[in-house]
Amino acid sequence: MFSLITSLCFCGILIPPTLLLCIVYPFSKRAAVAVSDYITCVCARQVFAVLRVYRKFNFLGDYKSAENLPEQFIVISNHQSLFDIVVYFKFFGGLRARFVAKDNLAKVPMVGKMLKSQQHCMIPRKGSPSVAMKSIDRFGVSILGKHQCPVIFPEGTRSRDGNLNQFYSAGFRRLVAATKLPVAVCALDGGWKISNLNSIMRNLRRGAYRVKVLKLYEAPKSKEEEKKILEESKELIQNQLDSWRKLPENSLEV
């Protein structure tokens, strides 16, 4: 019964703005941005409210860990599901976070048009590396002018089992070069159990999606500093994941 109610709530929250976005996207950039902002600011909160009420599933963001962050910074994080985007919209504010994502997300009706409308960085999945790097350069210039915070996932793809994959440096280094911003290392956990709506209903009963800022680095000034940040960030994230997974199943600790 609760699974049916949850599904109906999701449909009620997401289908109307998705349809509206698909309608206005070809004709009005301003309208598409307005609908996209509504999805990221309002729908993200509503989705987690539904999960909390009907699935006893909690969003646990450690906002205290983010209190002393500067106005702008790069976020590097592990990556577990498409819900990670929703999590960071909620944690950092829907109008603040901007993502480096693969362009195959453009095929997802709501997500693709939303990311394009809000001018997130869509990296070509196929093509020369130089094209991808130029996309990041343009993205860096854009976010600096809008006082936004770029989020990049060094793993490059979602972890299907929640374990950390290899961290790749190219995108991160290019983003650092384009923005010269401090770097905030963040960890999240809970999304690896999600692959589709059925798995949400099956796996997320009384679960939690956790997110936390682990460390803030000054803007790296050399390749050696960039390498150090990536190496240390993977270790910090792994340690945090290990700590979270030792908690009791129904713990609300973050």
Side-chain angles (χ1 to χ4, degrees), residues 59-62 65 75-80 84 87-88 91-92 151-153 155 162 164 167 184-191 209-215 233-245 254:
F59 170 81
L60 301 176
D62 187 349
S65 69
V75 174
I76 55 176
S77 168
N78 59 315
H79 190 22
Q80 296 185 350
D84 296 347
V87 164
Y88 280 124
F91 189 61
F92 290 119
V151 181
I152 188 167
F153 303 110
E155 290 170 285
L164 282 182
F167 275 24
V185 180
C186 296
L188 53 75
D189 197 26
Y209 219 130
R210 291 176 166 87
V211 59
K212 185 175 185 177
V213 179
L214 305 179
K215 186 171 182 177
S233 65
K234 186 173 183 180
E235 183 177 356
L236 287 167
I237 292 170
Q238 185 62 65
N239 289 341
Q240 185 60 62
L241 293 177
D242 292 342
S243 176
W244 278 335
R245 291 170 187 176
V254 69

Side-chain angles (χ1 to χ4, degrees), residues 189-206:
D189 197 26
W192 62 276
K193 297 180 181 179
I194 305 171
S195 58
N196 51 50
L197 190 59
N198 289 332
S199 65
I200 292 175
M201 303 308 162
R202 184 176 63 252
N203 295 331
L204 296 188
R205 178 69 176 173
R206 299 186 183 278

